[in-house]
Amino acid sequence: MEFLQFLSWACIVFTVGMFSTGLTDLKKMRASKSADNVQFLPFLTTCLNNLGWLYYGILKTDGTLVLVNTIGACLQSLYILSYCHYTNDKRRVTSQTLLAGGVVCGGWLYFSVLLPQGESQLAQLGLTCSLFTISMYLSPLADLMEIVRTGSVERLSFSLTVATFLTSTSWTLYGLQLQDYYIMVPNTPGIVTSLIRFFLFWRFASVNQGVQSYKLIEI
């Protein structure tokens, strides 16, 4: 039980820390009064992911999931609102946000109204959240291939890679302790992709010694 509590706090601290990396983009937007060179979709997809896992945590009465994803959803909402305020392409951003809102409403209708309450509801929601999380962890693979091709890690954030590795490992062990494969399995790709990034940093470090900063790559 003590180990489970330790993992719970590790999940909270590391995940909130990873979500907080968006504050760098927020600071950049406020300083430049522009959303140029800041990606919008990672904020939106992460918010959807948070809301899905928040609902799963509520149904499962898991306080760790509820707390982490409540904080995550609030932070992502802040990033989304800030982006909408500073972007020049408000029509595209608004349409994407409304589409995401439609997905949330449709998901709530399906899982809360159409599905009967019980194990089937929890299992289908867990599977949906797991697949969405896996797709988010695997989405940067194209960028990683580009890094291999160019031999430059300028687009990678080492601090974000460390945060992703610690977060994925914590949630994988947490899910293993709970014997909840919907939590454990989708975080395994996060460990794998983080290890690949560590290897790329090691492999191309000598090529990029003169680089002073890294551009964040969202997961």
Side-chain angles (χ1 to χ4, degrees):
M1 183 62 67
E2 290 184 359
F3 184 58
L4 183 61
Q5 290 178 343
F6 170 77
L7 288 175
S8 174
W9 279 107
C11 290
I12 293 170
V13 172
F14 293 142
T15 309
V16 171
M18 187 175 69
F19 290 152
S20 299
T21 57
L23 292 173
T24 303
D25 287 327
L26 180 59
K27 183 178 180 181
K28 185 192 304 181
M29 286 187 288
R30 291 187 62 183
S32 64
K33 306 297 182 183
S34 171
D36 294 343
N37 300 318
V38 175
Q39 293 181 321
F40 176 69
L41 284 181
F43 297 149
L44 199 59
T45 54
T46 303
C47 188
L48 289 175
N49 195 46
N50 288 148
L51 292 174
W53 283 112
L54 173 60
Y55 190 29
Y56 182 80
I58 292 173
L59 293 181
K60 194 177 172 66
T61 61
D62 187 307
T64 303
L65 280 172
V66 171
L67 177 60
V68 165
N69 287 286
T70 298
I71 295 173
C74 290
L75 283 174
Q76 302 307 320
S77 298
L78 173 63
Y79 304 152
I80 290 170
L81 290 174
S82 298
Y83 192 98
C84 291
H85 176 71
Y86 290 115
T87 185
N88 293 322
D89 193 1
K90 296 187 185 298
R91 177 176 296 182
R92 176 184 60 85
V93 171
T94 301
S95 62
Q96 290 177 345
T97 304
L98 290 175
L99 178 60
V103 171
V104 171
C105 293
W108 177 83
L109 179 66
Y110 176 75
F111 289 110
S112 297
V113 179
L114 299 181
L115 281 182
Q117 295 183 355
E119 289 298 321
S120 176
Q121 179 192 34
L122 192 64
Q124 288 197 40
L125 179 60
L127 179 61
T128 302
C129 292
S130 296
L131 293 175
F132 196 83
T133 300
I134 290 173
S135 68
M136 289 184 65
Y137 275 130
L138 296 181
S139 60
L141 285 180
D143 294 287
L144 296 181
M145 292 299 295
E146 181 67 16
I147 290 169
V148 172
R149 188 184 68 82
T150 60
S152 172
V153 293
E154 185 179 354
R155 301 180 66 189
L156 282 179
S157 167
F158 186 78
S159 59
L160 184 58
T161 301
V162 172
T164 302
F165 176 75
L166 293 174
T167 301
S168 302
T169 302
S170 299
W171 281 111
T172 299
L173 293 175
Y174 183 75
L176 184 62
Q177 284 291 113
L178 294 178
Q179 294 186 336
D180 189 328
Y181 295 102
Y182 296 123
I183 297 176
M184 184 184 71
V185 173
N187 285 284
T188 304
I191 299 175
V192 175
T193 54
S194 296
L195 291 175
I196 293 174
R197 293 181 190 186
F198 284 134
F199 171 77
L200 293 176
F201 276 112
W202 171 79
R203 176 67 177 81
F204 299 115
S206 59
V207 181
N208 298 272
Q209 285 181 347
V211 178
Q212 298 295 322
S213 61
Y214 299 105
K215 179 181 176 182
L216 289 183
I217 181 171
E218 299 291 344
I219 64 168

